[in-house]
Amino acid sequence: MRAMSSRLLLLVLFAVCWGCGSDSPFKYVRASGRITYEDGSPIPGGIRLMFVPDGIEAIGNAHARMGIANVDSTGKVESVTSYKPGDGLVPGKHKVVIQGAADRGGTPAVPKEDTAAETTKITVDTNSLPFEIKVPKPK
């Protein structure tokens, strides 16, 4: 788990610093919201959300960047960062990947399919902000 967190931190730093000296050709929409279980209870542990652009066209050689956000203990997401801190998301749809969600015993706290971009069915659209994500409790 610790190795995965370290790799994610490096990925975030790389993504944030990539192109720090130039302007992004994309516009951004400030994004915030909430994620909870379907019954409204918070997901345990400090989780992170990744927002993977879904069907957003490149501009020249530039591709839309994924957004990253931390979730507080109540499930609230204050802001999403894609290019510069707190800038939000490129307008459009994004797949949502949940990272770091496990109970104290290490048992996954969300369905496994929601922890990978290839399998998650969770999406958000910047036309519907703030987002409200509800996930089932794993069985």
Side-chain angles (χ1 to χ4, degrees), residues 55-106:
I56 298 173
E57 296 292 322
I59 298 177
N61 291 330
H63 296 272
R65 295 180 184 194
M66 109 179 128
I68 297 177
N70 290 319
V71 180
D72 74 13
S73 62
T74 67
K76 189 174 182 181
V77 174
E78 291 287 334
S79 67
V80 179
T81 296
S82 292
Y83 183 68
K84 295 180 181 176
D87 60 359
L89 297 168
V90 171
K93 294 182 182 181
H94 299 262
K95 293 180 180 183
V96 180
V97 177
I98 304 170
Q99 292 193 318
D103 67 14
R104 292 180 185 215

Side-chain angles (χ1 to χ4, degrees), residues 9-133:
L9 178 60
L10 287 173
L11 176 66
V12 170
L13 290 173
F14 180 75
V16 170
C17 290
W18 179 281
C20 285
S22 61
D23 291 326
S24 170
F26 292 96
K27 302 288 184 200
Y28 294 88
V29 176
R30 290 196 181 262
S32 62
R34 186 171 174 81
I35 180 170
T36 60
Y37 286 121
E38 292 171 329
D39 66 4
S41 62
I43 297 171
I47 65 171
R48 201 171 295 115
L49 300 180
M50 292 180 14
F51 298 84
V52 181
D54 189 20
I56 298 173
E57 296 292 322
I59 298 177
N61 291 330
H63 296 272
R65 295 180 184 194
M66 109 179 128
I68 297 177
N70 290 319
V71 180
D72 74 13
S73 62
T74 67
K76 189 174 182 181
V77 174
E78 291 287 334
S79 67
V80 179
T81 296
S82 292
Y83 183 68
K84 295 180 181 176
D87 60 359
L89 297 168
V90 171
K93 294 182 182 181
H94 299 262
K95 293 180 180 183
V96 180
V97 177
I98 304 170
Q99 292 193 318
D103 67 14
R104 292 180 185 215
T107 303
V110 298
K112 184 174 175 133
E113 69 182 14
D114 297 330
T115 63
E118 300 79 25
T119 55
T120 186
K121 290 184 176 42
I122 302 170
T123 61
V124 297
D125 190 327
T126 58
N127 288 323
S128 299
L129 293 174
F131 57 82
E132 186 71 31
I133 299 169

